[in-house]
C-alpha cells in the first residue's frame, strides 16, 4: 500500500465486492505488497521475448544505457487498427464517425533498488453501505483469485525471473518502429526527443524489466507487508521524479489522451443508435445525434460492451454501471428534447418502464416485448398501429418520439402550484453590526426587479415570501390588499404554528413594492438587541412550515451571519483518521437527516449563504443544503469587492437556475441485471433503483452500479432506462425518459476495450465519497488500489492477444489515463487529510464533488493547465487545446500559467517573467511588487490583458458558481495551493507521485499472476 500504515484496518467487505463471506481459512493473498525487496539488477542479460508485434498493444521500454530509448509497437492485427474518417465528407455537414478501435497501451519500467518485505494478513470485513443493495454473495474472494492465479496458457506465461531482483531483458523488435530517444544526463532530469526509426535500419533492441518472484507457490504463500508510500505528511515542493527511476515523460499522459480524442471527434457527429459504440470522452465537444439511444451526456455507461455473465464481470475486476445526469440541458447544437402529451403517447409496460425503441413489436403491432421484465403486453386499441418491414417497426415510428428516440419528455395531465422563492435573513445583533445587510438587501432587490421586468410571465408569476430571524421567527404578510406589510412574530420555535397563511407567499408582480419597502427597512433594525440566535436549522424549519402550510414547493435561500454552534450530540471525528471507530465526521447528524427528509418530501431545496467568517470548530451547516439539492456558499462579511461580486453572481444564478422539484428517479434494467448500488448527493433509501430528491439541476449526476442476476443473452444485449418524474418551475408535472441499449460479449477483451478512464474515475469518486460516511479512509484508499491492480492483472491475463513480458505495463487504449486519475482521487483532501486541511473545507469538498458531472469531475482531479506565454496571435482567448501535464516540470520560471478546476482558477507567475508582460497584465513594474492571493486583473487595453481576461471569463461561464482568481507567485508561501493541483507530483498532504503509484500498480499486478 502507499498510504500511512494504521492498525485495526479492514479489507473491503464481502458484500461490497460481491464476494462470499465464507472465505477459506488462512491468509489471503495481498495484491498490493510493498516493493522493498524488489531491488533491480544492474547486470543485464539478453533473452528473447517472442513476437511482441502481434500483441495488440503499444510497447514502451527503456534501457539503462547512455542513450535511453522507448519503442512503440503497433499490432499487425487488422481488427485492431484505428478507423479513419471519410475525408471526402461534405464540408457543409459534419462527418459521421461510428466507432474507433485502437490497440491497447503499455510502457516500461526503469530500475532502482529498494528494501525488505513483511508478512501481513488483511481481514475481510466492512460495515454495510446505505447506498448499496445487499447482494447475494455468489463468488468467493478465494475463488476469484484462484482463477486469476492458476496456471496460464503458454501464450500468457511469464518469463523466468531471479529470486530477488529484476533484470533487463532485450527483445528483438521489427525494424519499423517509432523510437523516443531522450538525452539523459541522470535519472533526475530526463528530457526526451521523438525521432522516427528508419525502416531500412538494423533491428532495434528493446530492454524490458522482469519482476522478481520469491516463489511461484500458491495463493496463500507468505505475504509481504503493505508499507506506506504516501508516508510524508509534511508540505513539500512539487516533485515528479520517481523513487524507482521512472521517466515521467514516458508515462501515459491524460493530456495526450484528451487531445487525441478531441482530434478524432471535435466538429464531427457521434450517432447514438441501437447498440452504439464507444462515445467521445466527456471532455470532448462534438455534435450528438439521437437515433434511438440516449445521448452520453445523459447516460454514460461504464462499459459499452457488457460481460454476458457475472463470472466474466468478476474476472474483469471492473464495475458495471452507468453515470446518470437525468436533467441534462440540451446544448445549442442539439435538437431540443421532444415533448409529448401523456394522452398522445404510447403507454409503457405494466412493470413501470416507459415506451422506448428497445421494446420490440410482435403480432403486427398488437403486442410488444419489454426487455426489462421480459413480458409481452397488449397495446390498447386506441394506440394500435400496424408494423412494417423485416424488423417489424410501427408505421408511425418517425412521428412518435417514444418509438424512435433515446430521450423524450412526457407532459402529465395534472398540474400543481408553481414553485415559490422564500428568503430568510438573519437579523441578530451580530448580523446587524456586521454592516453587510444593506448590501444583501440591495442585491435581493436587484435580482427580484430583474425577474419582474425581464423574466416574462413565468417569472413575474413566481410566488415570493420573506422572513427574518434571530432567536425568533418574523414572518411578513405581503398581501397587495394591505397598505403596508405586516410583521408576524413566532416566539415558540419548538412547535412551529403559522398564525396566518394568506399573504406569506404572493406572486412577484403583486408584491414587488411591499418587498422593496421591507428590504429597505431591514438594515435599520436596532443593533442593540441580543446576539443570541437559534440553531442553523431554525430558518429551515420555519421555511419548511410555510411551504407545508401552503402546500407549495420551492427554493429556500438562507442568509446567515451569526456564529454556528453545535447542537445536540456531535459525531466523533476519530474514525475520520482511520481508527477502529466506524463513524466519521462526514456523517450528518440524525437531526439533519430527518429535516432533510422532510424537505425532500415537500420539494424544498435549501441554499445557504454564510456571510461571516466562522470560528474553527463550529458546526458545519452544509449537510441540509446539499442533501436537498442546494449548496453552501461562504463569504467573509462581504467587505471586499471580490466577495461582493461573487455573492451577486451566485445569488442571480441560483434564483434563475432551471430546477426540477420533488424529483423521483426510477431505474429499470434488463431482467438478467439488477441495480446493486446508487451513489450521489442524496439521502439513500431502501431501494437503490428508486431515488427521491427535493430538487435537482442540469449538473446533478448519480453513479449507478449494476450486477448480474443471471447470464445475459448475447443477441438481445442489455438495456437501461432512467425515468425522471419532476415538477417544473411553473407547476407542470413531467416525466423524462432516457433509454440506453448496450452490446454483450463473452470475450473479456471486448469488455476491456469499451471502458473509458473518465467514467471510471467519476464512478469511483462517487462510490468512495459515499462510502466515507461509514468506512475508514485508509481502507477506501486500499480498495481503490486493489481494484485497479486486479483489473490490470486480469487484462494482462485475459485481454492481451499474445504473450507479454513481465516488464511491460499493459493498459487498454482508453484506460491509459486511469492510473493518474485514481492516484489523484486517492490523495484528494477528502480521502487523505493533510496537516493544513480544515474539517469544514473537506466536508465542503466532498459534497461539492459528489454533485459534479463527468466532465467537471475529470477537471477536478486533473485540472486544465494552460500556458499564457507566448501569446498565440491566431486565437483570443488562448486555445485550451494547448494544455500541459499537471506536473511541476511543466512550469518554467519565465512564463505565466493558468490552472482551471471546477472550484479553482489560479494564475501562476514565474520569477523570470519579462517586466513588459507584468506591466501588460498586472500594471506592475517588477515581480517583487506583484501582490499574491485573491485578486482581480486590471482592465488594460493591450492584447495580453484582453486575452487572459477573456479566457478567465470563458472558463468561469462553464461553472454554475462564482470563482475568485488566485494569483500565485513562484516561491511564495501560497504556492501550496498550486501544488495540490499538480496531481502528477507528490502532493503536500503526502500523496504519492503518479510515477511511483504506476510502478506499484504494475509490479503488484504481475505478482498476482505468478
Amino acid at each position: 500500500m502507499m498510504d500511512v500504515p494504521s492498525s485495526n484496518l479492514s479489507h473491503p467487505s464481502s458484500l461490497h465486492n460481491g464476494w462470499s463471506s465464507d472465505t477459506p481459512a488462512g491468509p489471503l493473498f495481498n495484491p498490493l505488497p510493498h516493493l522493498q525487496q524488489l531491488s533491480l539488477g544492474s547486470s543485464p542479460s539478453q533473452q528473447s521475448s517472442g513476437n511482441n508485434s502481434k500483441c495488440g498493444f503499444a510497447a514502451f521500454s527503456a534501457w539503462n544505457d547512455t542513450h535511453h530509448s522507448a519503442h512503440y509497437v503497433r499490432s499487425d492485427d487488422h481488427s485492431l487498427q484505428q478507423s479513419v474518417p471519410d475525408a471526402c465528407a461534405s464540408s457543409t455537414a459534419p462527418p459521421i464517425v461510428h466507432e474507433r478501435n485502437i490497440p491497447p497501451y503499455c510502457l516500461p519500467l526503469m530500475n532502482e533498488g529498494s528494501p525488505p518485505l513483511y508478512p501481513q494478513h488483511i481481514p475481510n470485513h466492512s460495515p454495510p453501505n446505505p447506498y448499496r443493495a445487499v447482494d447475494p454473495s455468489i463468488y468467493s474472494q478465494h475463488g476469484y483469485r484462484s482463477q486469476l492465479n492458476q496456471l496460464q496458457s503458454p501464450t500468457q506465461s511469464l518469463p523466468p525471473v531471479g529470486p530477488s531482483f529484476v533484470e533487463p531483458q532485450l527483445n528483438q523488435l521489427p525494424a519499423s518502429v517509432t523510437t523516443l530517444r531522450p538525452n539523459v544526463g541522470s535519472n533526475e532530469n530526463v528530457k526526451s526527443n521523438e525521432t522516427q526509426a528508419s525502416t531500412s535500419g538494423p533491428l532495434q533492441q528493446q530492454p524490458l524489466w522482469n519482476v522478481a518472484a520469491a516463489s511461484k507457490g500458491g495463493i496463500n504463500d507468505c505475504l509481504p507487508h503493505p508499507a506506506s508510500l504516501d508516508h510524508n505528511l509534511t508540505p513539500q515542493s512539487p516533485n515528479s521524479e520517481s523513487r524507482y527511476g521512472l521517466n515521467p515523460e514516458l508515462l501515459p499522459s491524460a493530456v495526450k489522451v484528451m487531445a487525441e480524442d478531441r482530434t478524432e471527434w471535435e466538429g464531427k457527429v457521434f450517432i447514438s443508435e441501437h447498440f452504439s459504440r464507444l462515445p467521445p470522452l466527456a471532455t470532448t465537444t462534438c455534435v450528438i445525434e439521437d437515433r434511438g439511444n440516449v445521448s452520453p451526456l445523459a447516460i454514460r455507461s461504464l462499459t459499452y460492451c457488457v460481460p454476458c455473465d457475472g463470472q466474466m464481470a468478476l474476472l474483469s475486476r471492473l464495475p458495471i454501471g452507468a453515470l446518470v445526469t437525468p436533467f441534462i440541458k440540451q446544448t445549442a447544437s442539439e435538437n431540443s428534447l421532444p415533448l409529448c402529451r401523456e394522452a398522445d403517447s404510447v403507454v409503457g409496460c405494466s412493470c413501470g418502464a416507459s415506451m422506448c425503441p428497445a421494446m420490440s413489436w410482435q403480432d403486427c403491432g398488437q403486442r410488444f416485448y419489454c426487455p426489462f421484465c421480459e413480458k409481452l403486453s397488449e397495446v390498447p386499441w386506441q394506440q394500435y398501429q400496424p408494423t412494417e418491414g423485416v424488423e417489424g417497426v410501427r408505421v408511425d415510428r418517425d412521428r412518435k418520439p417514444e418509438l424512435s428516440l433515446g430521450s423524450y419528455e412526457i407532459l402529465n395531465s395534472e398540474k400543481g402550484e408553481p414553485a415559490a422563492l422564500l428568503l430568510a435573513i438573519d437579523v441578530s445583533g451580530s448580523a446587524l453590526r456586521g454592516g453587510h445587510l444593506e448590501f444583501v438587501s440591495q442585491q435581493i432587490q436587484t435580482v427580484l426587479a430583474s425577474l419582474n421586468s425581464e423574466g416574462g410571465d413565468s417569472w413575474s408569476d413566481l410566488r415570493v415570501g420573506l422572513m427574518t430571524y434571530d432567536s425568533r421567527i418574523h414572518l411578513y404578510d405581503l398581501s397587495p390588499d394591505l397598505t403596508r406589510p405586516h410583521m408576524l412574530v413566532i416566539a415558540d420555535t419548538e412547535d412551529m404554528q403559522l398564525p396566518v397563511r394568506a399573504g406569506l407567499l404572493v406572486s412577484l408582480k403583486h408584491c414587488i413594492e411591499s418587498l422593496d419597502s421591507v428590504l429597505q427597512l431591514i438594515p435599520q433594525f436596532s443593533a442593540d438587541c441580543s446576539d443570541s440566535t437559534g440553531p442553523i436549522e431554525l430558518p429551515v424549519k420555519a421555511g419548511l412550515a410555510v411551504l407545508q402550510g401552503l402546500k407549495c414547493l420551492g427554493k429556500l435561500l438562507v442568509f446567515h451571519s451569526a456564529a454556528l454552534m453545535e447542537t445536540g450530540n456531535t459525531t466523533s471525528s476519530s474514525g475520520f483518521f482511520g481508527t477502529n471507530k466506524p463513524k466519521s465526521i462526514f456523517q450528518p447528524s440524525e437531526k439533519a437527516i430527518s429535516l432533510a427528509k422532510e424537505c425532500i418530501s415537500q420539494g424544498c431545496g435549501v441554499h445557504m449563504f454564510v456571510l461571516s467568517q466562522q470560528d474553527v470548530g463550529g458546526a458545519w451547516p452544509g449537510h441540509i443544503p446539499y442533501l436537498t439539492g442546494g449548496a453552501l456558499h461562504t463569504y467573509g462579511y462581504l467587505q471586499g469587492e471580490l466577495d461582493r461580486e461573487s455573492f451577486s453572481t451566485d445569488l442571480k444564478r441560483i434564483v434563475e437556475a432551471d430546477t426540477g422539484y420533488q424529483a423521483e428517479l426510477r431505474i429499470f434494467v434488463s431482467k438478467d441485471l439488477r441495480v446493486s448500488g446508487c451513489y450521489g448527493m442524496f439521502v439513500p433509501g431502501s431501494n437503490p433503483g428508486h431515488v427521491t430528491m427535493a430538487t435537482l439541476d442540469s449538473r446533478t449526476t448519480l453513479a449507478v452500479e449494476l450486477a448480474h442476476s443471471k447470464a445475459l443473452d448475447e443477441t438481445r444485449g442489455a438495456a437501461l432506462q432512467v425515468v425522471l418524474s419532476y415538477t417544473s418551475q411553473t407547476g407542470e408535472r413531467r416525466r423524462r425518459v432516457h433509454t440506453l441499449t448496450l452490446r454483450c460479449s463473452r470475450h473479456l477483451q471486448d469488455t476491456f476495450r469499451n471502458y473509458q478512464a473518465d467514467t471510471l474515475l467519476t464512478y469511483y469518486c462517487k462510490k468512495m465519497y459515499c462510502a466515507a460516511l461509514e468506512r475508514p479512509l485508509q481502507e477506501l484508499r486500499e480498495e481503490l488500489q486493489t481494484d485497479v491492480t486486479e483489473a490490470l492483472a486480469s487484462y494482462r491475463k485475459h485481454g492481451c492477444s499474445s504473450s507479454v513480458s513481465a516488464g511491460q505495463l499493459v493498459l487498454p487504449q482508453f484506460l491509459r489515463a486511469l492510473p493518474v486519475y485514481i492516484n489523484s482521487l486517492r490523495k484528494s483532501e477528502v480521502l487523505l487529510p493533510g496537516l493544513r486541511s480544515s474539517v469544514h473545507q473537506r466536508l465542503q469538498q466532498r459534497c461539492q464533488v459528489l454533485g459534479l458531472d463527468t466532465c467537471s469531475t475529470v477537471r477536478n482531479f486533473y485540472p486544465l493547465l494552460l500556458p499564457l506565454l507566448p501569446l498565440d496571435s491566431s486565437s483570443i482567448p488562448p486555445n485550451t487545446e494547448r494544455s500541459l501535464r499537471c506536473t511541476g516540470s511543466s512550469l518554467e520560471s519565465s512564463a505565466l500559467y493558468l490552472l482551471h478546476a471546477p472550484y479553482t482558477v489560479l494564475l501562476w507567475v514565474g520569477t523570470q517573467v519579462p517586466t513588459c508582460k507584468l506591466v501588460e497584465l498586472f500594471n506592475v513594474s517588477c515581480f517583487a511588487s506583484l501582490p499574491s492571493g485573491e485578486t482581480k486583473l486590471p482592465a488594460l487595453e493591450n492584447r495580453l490583458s484582453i486575452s487572459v481576461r477573456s479566457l478567465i471569463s470563458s472558463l468561469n461561464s462553464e461553472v454554475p458558481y462564482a470563482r475568485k482568481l488566485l494569483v500565485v507567485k513562484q516561491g511564495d508561501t501560497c504556492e501550496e495551493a498550486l501544488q495540490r493541483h499538480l496531481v502528477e507530483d507528490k502532493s503536500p498532504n503526502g500523496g504519492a507521485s503518479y510515477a511511483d503509484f504506476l510502478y506499484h500498480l504494475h509490479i503488484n499486478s504481475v505478482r498476482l499472476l505468478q
Side-chain angles (χ1 to χ4, degrees):
M1 298 307 298
M2 306 196 325
D3 301 302
V4 182
S6 174
S7 60
N8 301 321
L9 295 179
S10 61
H11 193 273
S13 71
S14 58
L15 290 180
H16 204 75
N17 286 299
W19 290 335
S20 173
S21 58
D22 54 346
T23 306
L28 297 176
F29 181 83
N30 178 7
L32 305 171
H34 186 52
L35 305 175
Q36 293 180 344
Q37 221 174 34
L38 300 179
S39 57
L40 303 180
S42 57
S43 58
S45 64
Q46 299 184 1
Q47 302 176 7
S48 174
S49 68
N51 186 6
N52 286 332
S53 64
K54 296 187 179 182
C55 236
F57 57 83
F60 285 72
S61 66
W63 183 25
N64 191 13
D65 198 353
T66 54
H67 295 285
H68 290 58
S69 63
H71 308 278
Y72 294 84
V73 180
R74 287 297 177 188
S75 170
D76 295 332
D77 185 353
H78 296 291
S79 66
L80 297 179
Q81 301 304 312
Q82 181 178 3
S83 60
V84 180
D86 186 4
C88 302
S90 171
S91 60
T92 58
I96 295 175
V97 180
H98 291 274
E99 72 174 297
R100 49 194 173 170
N101 210 341
I102 304 175
Y105 186 91
C106 68
L107 79 169
L109 296 166
M110 299 183 182
N111 71 339
E112 184 80 30
S114 38
L117 309 165
Y118 305 91
Q120 183 189 39
H121 307 316
I122 302 179
N124 187 23
H125 169 74
S126 68
N129 189 335
Y131 292 85
R132 289 179 58 93
V134 178
D135 315 355
S137 300
I138 302 175
Y139 309 106
S140 70
Q141 178 180 5
H142 179 79
Y144 160 69
R145 287 185 175 153
S146 297
Q147 293 178 44
L148 193 62
N149 208 42
Q150 61 187 231
L151 285 176
Q152 305 173 57
S153 64
T155 60
Q156 294 171 320
S157 61
L158 293 173
V161 294
S164 63
F165 64 91
V166 177
E167 58 176 323
Q169 185 179 18
L170 298 179
N171 300 288
Q172 299 295 327
L173 296 181
S176 179
V177 295
T178 302
T179 307
L180 297 179
R181 297 187 179 277
N183 298 323
V184 180
S186 68
N187 280 344
E188 284 76 14
N189 186 14
V190 182
K191 298 209 176 207
S192 61
N193 298 316
E194 186 172 351
T195 58
Q196 180 73 30
S198 171
T199 57
S200 60
L203 295 179
Q204 303 291 324
Q205 289 185 330
Q206 181 188 31
L208 302 175
W209 299 101
N210 285 338
V211 179
S215 69
K216 292 200 176 185
I219 201 167
N220 292 325
D221 287 344
C222 183
L223 305 177
H225 175 66
S228 166
L229 182 66
D230 298 340
H231 60 285
N232 183 9
L233 291 180
T234 58
Q236 54 189 326
S237 300
N239 185 359
S240 58
E241 296 171 359
S242 171
R243 296 172 58 188
Y244 308 103
L246 279 173
N247 181 1
E249 299 277 339
L250 301 181
L251 302 183
S253 169
V255 171
K256 184 178 180 181
V257 170
M258 293 183 214
E260 289 174 353
D261 192 78
R262 188 165 50 243
T263 301
E264 182 176 353
W265 287 104
E266 199 162 39
K268 301 175 184 176
V269 176
F270 172 75
I271 296 179
S272 184
E273 55 189 354
H274 190 57
F275 292 166
S276 64
R277 306 299 181 178
L278 202 64
L281 296 179
T283 53
T284 300
T285 302
C286 75
V287 179
I288 299 174
E289 184 177 337
D290 183 349
R291 290 190 185 176
N293 231 13
V294 64
S295 164
L297 298 177
I299 300 180
R300 187 174 288 269
S301 179
L302 299 187
T303 178
Y304 279 78
C305 186
V306 181
C308 280
D309 55 65
Q311 186 73 12
M312 284 182 58
L314 183 66
L315 284 177
S316 74
R317 298 306 299 144
L318 289 174
I320 302 172
L323 303 174
V324 179
T325 311
F327 203 61
I328 187 69
K329 184 179 180 181
Q330 302 298 111
T331 62
S333 59
E334 296 177 339
N335 296 327
S336 58
L337 204 64
L339 178 66
C340 50
R341 297 186 178 276
E342 187 176 23
D344 300 332
S345 59
V346 182
V347 302
C349 182
S350 58
C351 68
S354 298
M355 180 56 61
C356 63
M359 295 181 176
S360 56
W361 297 91
Q362 298 183 8
D363 298 337
C364 298
Q366 298 182 46
R367 298 191 297 172
F368 64 87
Y369 170 82
C370 174
F372 307 107
C373 64
E374 297 186 352
K375 293 181 181 178
L376 290 174
S377 300
E378 297 285 343
V379 180
W381 66 267
Q382 300 93 334
Q383 299 176 343
Y384 168 77
Q385 287 290 336
T387 58
E388 62 180 1
V390 178
E391 297 180 356
V393 297
R394 287 186 25 147
V395 294
D396 61 344
R397 180 178 185 272
D398 295 334
R399 301 192 302 271
K400 295 280 188 181
E402 64 270 26
L403 301 177
S404 59
L405 297 179
S407 296
Y408 66 96
E409 198 164 57
I410 298 176
L411 178 62
N412 292 5
S413 55
E414 59 182 280
K415 183 174 181 179
E417 293 291 335
L421 177 65
L422 189 56
L423 308 170
I425 303 176
D426 181 3
V427 292
S428 61
S430 57
L432 293 168
R433 289 191 296 270
H436 53 266
L437 285 184
E438 182 177 0
F439 174 77
V440 171
S441 300
Q442 290 175 353
Q443 294 304 310
I444 293 175
Q445 287 178 270
T446 301
V447 170
L448 295 179
S450 175
L451 291 179
N452 187 49
S453 60
E454 302 173 7
D457 293 338
S458 60
W459 286 110
S460 61
D461 290 334
L462 171 72
R463 294 194 295 172
V464 181
L466 177 65
M467 65 180 182
T468 55
Y469 66 95
D470 42 25
S471 58
R472 303 172 300 175
I473 297 296
H474 318 130
L475 301 176
Y476 295 89
D477 186 347
L478 303 175
S479 299
D481 300 334
L482 301 175
T483 56
R484 61 179 183 177
H486 291 177
M487 177 190 285
L488 311 170
V489 179
I490 301 178
D492 184 6
T493 58
E494 293 298 325
D495 184 18
M496 196 77 65
Q497 297 292 334
L498 298 181
V500 296
R501 288 182 173 83
L504 297 182
L505 292 176
V506 182
S507 62
L508 180 59
K509 59 185 177 184
H510 294 144
C511 70
I512 186 67
E513 295 181 358
S514 299
L515 279 170
D516 287 345
S517 62
V518 176
L519 290 171
Q520 289 173 7
L521 290 174
I522 286 177
Q524 302 175 19
F525 285 6
S526 173
D528 298 331
C529 58
S530 172
D531 288 344
S532 64
T533 185
I536 190 61
E537 295 86 3
L538 178 60
V540 179
K541 289 173 60 178
L544 183 59
V546 171
L547 295 178
Q548 288 174 338
L550 296 174
K551 298 181 180 179
C552 182
L553 43 82
K555 297 176 185 176
L556 171 62
L557 275 56
V558 180
F559 303 90
H560 190 83
S561 303
L564 300 171
M565 304 299 295
E566 295 279 3
T567 57
N569 295 328
T570 58
T571 306
S572 171
S573 63
S574 56
F576 181 71
F577 297 99
T579 69
N580 57 352
K581 293 188 178 181
K583 292 185 178 295
S584 76
I585 59 171
F586 291 120
Q587 288 183 330
S589 65
E590 292 297 331
K591 182 185 294 185
I593 294 178
S594 176
L595 190 54
K597 287 181 178 179
E598 290 187 56
C599 292
I600 292 170
S601 176
Q602 187 58 36
C604 171
V606 180
H607 295 262
M608 189 162 294
F609 298 81
V610 177
L611 307 176
S612 62
Q613 192 70 36
Q614 297 299 319
D615 296 332
V616 176
W620 188 67
H623 291 300
I624 295 174
Y626 283 110
L627 288 175
T628 58
L632 174 68
H633 306 269
T634 57
Y635 312 90
Y637 294 103
L638 296 177
Q639 298 300 320
E641 180 184 357
L642 293 178
D643 273 341
R644 295 194 169 209
E645 287 185 2
S646 298
F647 175 83
S648 302
T649 304
D650 288 336
L651 178 62
K652 183 175 177 63
R653 286 179 175 176
I654 289 171
V655 171
E656 296 180 353
D658 189 14
T659 305
Y661 301 87
Q662 282 185 327
E664 181 181 358
L665 192 72
R666 298 190 66 190
I667 303 168
F668 301 91
V669 293
S670 297
K671 189 176 180 180
D672 300 332
L673 296 173
R674 58 187 173 82
V675 180
S676 58
C678 190
Y679 312 103
M681 202 63 247
F682 59 91
V683 178
S686 58
N687 181 7
H690 187 188
V691 177
T692 56
M693 292 174 283
T695 60
L696 82 167
D697 58 26
S698 60
R699 294 175 182 266
T700 303
T701 302
L702 309 179
V704 178
E705 184 178 17
L706 305 179
H708 287 80
S709 53
K710 61 179 182 178
L712 290 164
D713 185 349
E714 192 171 3
T715 60
R716 290 188 180 274
L720 168 69
Q721 184 177 94
V722 174
V723 180
L724 172 68
S725 300
Y726 71 97
T727 302
S728 67
Q729 179 71 46
T730 56
E732 296 174 335
R733 192 66 182 172
R734 299 189 176 198
R735 189 166 79 250
R736 186 172 293 193
V737 181
H738 302 291
T739 308
L740 175 67
T741 55
L742 300 167
R743 293 183 296 121
C744 293
S745 176
R746 299 188 181 276
H747 304 286
L748 272 180
Q749 194 172 22
D750 296 333
T751 300
F752 278 113
R753 289 177 181 172
N754 284 275
Y755 277 98
Q756 289 179 326
D758 54 354
T759 54
L760 283 175
L761 168 67
T762 308
Y763 167 83
Y764 280 125
C765 169
K766 294 184 185 297
K767 180 179 179 179
M768 293 302 157
Y769 279 17
C770 287
L773 294 174
E774 297 288 345
R775 298 171 57 190
L777 301 184
Q778 184 165 342
E779 183 180 298
L780 300 180
R781 298 196 300 270
E782 291 174 0
E783 183 179 325
L784 276 172
Q785 186 171 343
T786 302
D787 288 350
V788 178
T789 301
E790 292 179 347
L792 294 184
S794 178
Y795 181 70
R796 177 180 288 272
K797 180 176 176 63
H798 303 286
C800 296
S801 57
S802 63
S803 62
V804 181
S805 167
Q808 291 176 302
L809 169 65
V810 187
L811 294 169
Q813 174 69 16
F814 302 113
L815 295 185
R816 286 177 293 168
L818 184 62
V820 69
Y821 287 164
I822 295 299
N823 188 44
S824 179
L825 172 60
R826 286 181 67 256
K827 62 184 183 180
S828 63
E829 292 290 330
V830 174
L831 298 183
L832 186 61
L835 293 179
R836 294 194 176 98
S837 304
S838 85
V839 173
H840 285 192
Q841 288 173 348
R842 298 175 63 203
L843 289 166
Q844 177 91 343
Q845 182 184 358
R846 174 187 173 271
C847 293
Q848 287 176 333
V849 174
L850 271 175
L852 294 178
D853 56 16
T854 306
C855 181
S856 299
T857 301
V858 173
R859 291 294 181 219
N860 184 74
F861 291 103
Y862 201 94
L864 192 66
L865 182 62
L866 299 172
L868 302 181
L869 295 177
L871 191 61
D872 186 2
S873 58
S874 61
S875 64
I876 294 182
N879 196 342
T880 56
E881 297 180 5
R882 297 171 56 199
S883 59
L884 305 174
R885 298 180 69 157
C886 289
T887 172
S889 59
S890 299
L891 306 178
E892 297 179 2
S893 59
S894 60
L896 299 164
Y897 299 90
L898 188 72
L899 185 139
H900 161 67
Y903 298 96
T904 305
V905 56
L906 185 148
L907 180 59
W908 186 81
V909 185
T911 55
Q912 304 299 321
V913 173
T915 302
C916 60
K917 301 301 180 183
L918 295 177
V919 173
E920 290 179 9
L921 189 57
F922 302 102
N923 200 24
V924 297
S925 57
C926 66
F927 181 80
S929 60
L930 175 66
S932 60
E934 295 178 350
T935 187
K936 181 179 180 181
L937 294 178
L940 304 176
E941 294 300 323
N942 60 73
R943 203 159 62 87
L944 177 62
S945 177
I946 294 173
S947 175
V948 173
R949 286 186 287 112
S950 177
L951 174 62
I952 294 174
S953 176
S954 175
L955 295 175
N956 284 339
S957 65
E958 298 177 4
V959 297
Y961 27 75
R963 301 183 300 179
K964 290 176 280 190
L965 176 66
L966 181 65
V967 174
V968 174
K969 297 165 61 177
Q970 183 179 4
D972 197 75
T973 54
C974 64
E975 199 171 20
E976 185 179 326
L978 172 69
Q979 295 174 20
R980 287 197 296 267
H981 290 89
L982 298 178
V983 297
E984 293 196 21
D985 296 342
K986 298 173 185 176
S987 58
N989 63 350
S993 69
Y994 167 41
D996 290 347
F997 179 73
L998 187 62
Y999 181 87
H1000 277 247
L1001 285 183
H1002 169 65
I1003 295 296
N1004 290 307
S1005 65
V1006 174
R1007 274 182 171 273
L1008 276 175
L1009 300 177
Q1010 293 180 348

